[in-house]
Amino acid sequence: MSVKRRFKQVDVFTAEPLKGNPLAVVLDAEGLSDAQLQAFARWTNLSETTFALPPTDPRADYRVRIFTPDTEFPFAGHPTLGTAHALLESGLVPKTPGTLIQECGVGLVSVKLLPEGGLAFAAPSAEISVLPASLYSLLDDAMQHGGRQTNVDAWVVTMGISWLVVRMPDAEACLRVEADIDALAALQKQAGVNGLAIYGPHPPGAAVDYEVRALLVEQNQLVEDPVTGSANACLARVLQQLNFPDGGETSQHYRVRQGTQRHRDGRVFVRYGQQQPWIGGETVTLIDGSIRL
């Protein structure tokens, strides 16, 4: 028997509707089986759908499960911000004023309410390693029309989800890349990553510091994610590892644009505090109602 449940669809990493990355959020997911969760995520056909549940850890404000149309993720960035936004908008009061504690597959993740608006999550700890030398030729095959910056290593970064983070000479080179689906699929498998995150710096004085793109093969199709919290969190860890090679203000904070090639205008900001990167952005609600599941 189906049950009426609160539901929202939100746009993450944007203050303007239709410019960010959409997320479906089921706010009352108790009683649903794993098969039902996966079936609904498949039905929404969004990159991720989240299901809010009561926490099992007394320190947490809520628990979330994150599903793609194919599988469950232990963590993802835009679902973290989007779920927090939806719960706060629906009346959730944090146990600690100004901070939500999310329970998910990687453990507890802090989400700050920012005084200027928006939310930011603490990037989970990450395992970081250099891409094996034997895979650079495959990486170059996967990235057509936009040569990477060859004097900078490519990094495999894992925080529940894994991204291969690759530096481009500049933002324009980042935007020129066209992914080869066969090479990218092989690269994902051999490198053990979920996708390819490429980034290139904008000129000094631009409104944003980096252009970012997230490319992956999913369900045998080439996908470019509009705006990706986890990829930006992995990039933040890489820049931290490299001691902020661009210098200047990026040693404390920087701004990202993502989604340009998808006709989006996602905006991500990253701030460091006590060696901890915080990945932030704004979220807007587009659909607010209920579903029957």
Side-chain angles (χ1 to χ4, degrees):
M1 178 180 175
S2 62
V3 174
K4 190 175 182 180
R5 303 172 189 274
R6 292 180 298 160
F7 173 81
K8 291 179 184 284
Q9 191 159 315
V10 300
D11 206 10
V12 185
F13 291 121
T14 180
E16 182 181 349
L18 310 180
K19 292 293 188 179
N21 197 354
L23 174 74
V25 185
V26 178
L27 295 164
D28 306 300
E30 281 188 280
L32 293 172
S33 68
D34 287 3
Q36 287 175 301
L37 301 181
Q38 185 64 76
F40 186 67
R42 190 178 301 117
W43 181 81
T44 68
N45 202 34
L46 295 175
S47 58
E48 283 100 6
T49 298
T50 64
F51 302 89
L53 296 156
T56 60
D57 190 313
R59 296 170 293 177
D61 291 288
Y62 62 96
R63 181 164 65 99
V64 66
R65 296 184 67 181
I66 304 167
F67 282 79
T68 74
D70 278 341
T71 190
E72 182 174 9
F73 281 164
F75 171 77
H78 102 274
T80 292
L81 292 191
T83 303
H85 166 89
L87 287 167
L88 287 168
E89 192 176 65
S90 296
L92 177 66
V93 178
K95 294 176 181 178
T96 301
T99 302
L100 283 168
I101 303 298
Q102 170 181 285
E103 180 184 350
C104 59
V106 297
L108 300 181
V109 176
S110 295
V111 182
K112 285 183 179 178
L113 288 69
L114 302 176
E116 67 272 28
L119 300 165
F121 67 85
S125 58
E127 297 178 6
I128 305 177
S129 60
V130 175
L131 181 72
S134 60
L135 294 182
Y136 277 93
S137 176
L138 185 56
L139 170 60
D140 290 333
D141 289 342
M143 297 169 50
Q144 301 293 312
H145 309 301
R148 60 186 170 85
Q149 189 165 325
T150 55
N151 64 338
V152 177
D153 290 323
W155 297 84
V156 175
V157 188
T158 302
M159 50 176 67
I161 185 171
S162 296
W163 289 97
L164 177 57
V165 178
V166 178
R167 171 87 178 209
M168 307 299 292
D170 52 40
E172 290 302 317
C174 184
L175 291 170
R176 282 197 303 270
V177 169
E178 294 180 14
D180 180 280
I181 185 171
D182 293 330
L184 181 55
L187 179 65
Q188 287 178 206
K189 182 176 181 180
Q190 294 184 41
V193 296
N194 295 95
L196 175 65
I198 60 176
Y199 71 103
H202 281 273
V208 292
D209 299 294
Y210 293 108
E211 191 75 29
V212 169
R213 296 176 67 190
L215 305 162
L216 63 151
V217 177
E218 189 174 58
Q219 297 178 302
N220 297 314
Q221 294 185 337
L222 179 63
V223 175
E224 178 164 352
D225 199 45
V227 202
T228 319
S230 60
N232 276 285
C234 289
L235 170 58
R237 289 294 189 188
V238 166
L239 292 177
Q240 187 177 32
Q241 176 102 347
L242 297 176
N243 293 316
F244 311 102
D246 295 298
E249 291 188 339
T250 59
S251 64
Q252 299 300 321
H253 59 84
Y254 62 87
R255 299 152 298 172
V256 162
R257 183 177 73 184
Q258 189 180 348
T260 305
Q261 298 291 47
R262 292 288 312 274
H263 304 288
R264 310 289 177 85
D265 189 20
R267 298 301 173 104
V268 181
F269 54 81
V270 178
R271 295 174 181 167
Y272 292 84
Q274 297 179 333
Q275 300 300 306
Q276 172 64 59
W278 290 82
I279 315 302
E282 297 190 68
T283 302
V284 292
T285 300
L286 274 69
I287 300 172
D288 189 352
S290 61
I291 57 169
R292 291 194 175 273
L293 276 180

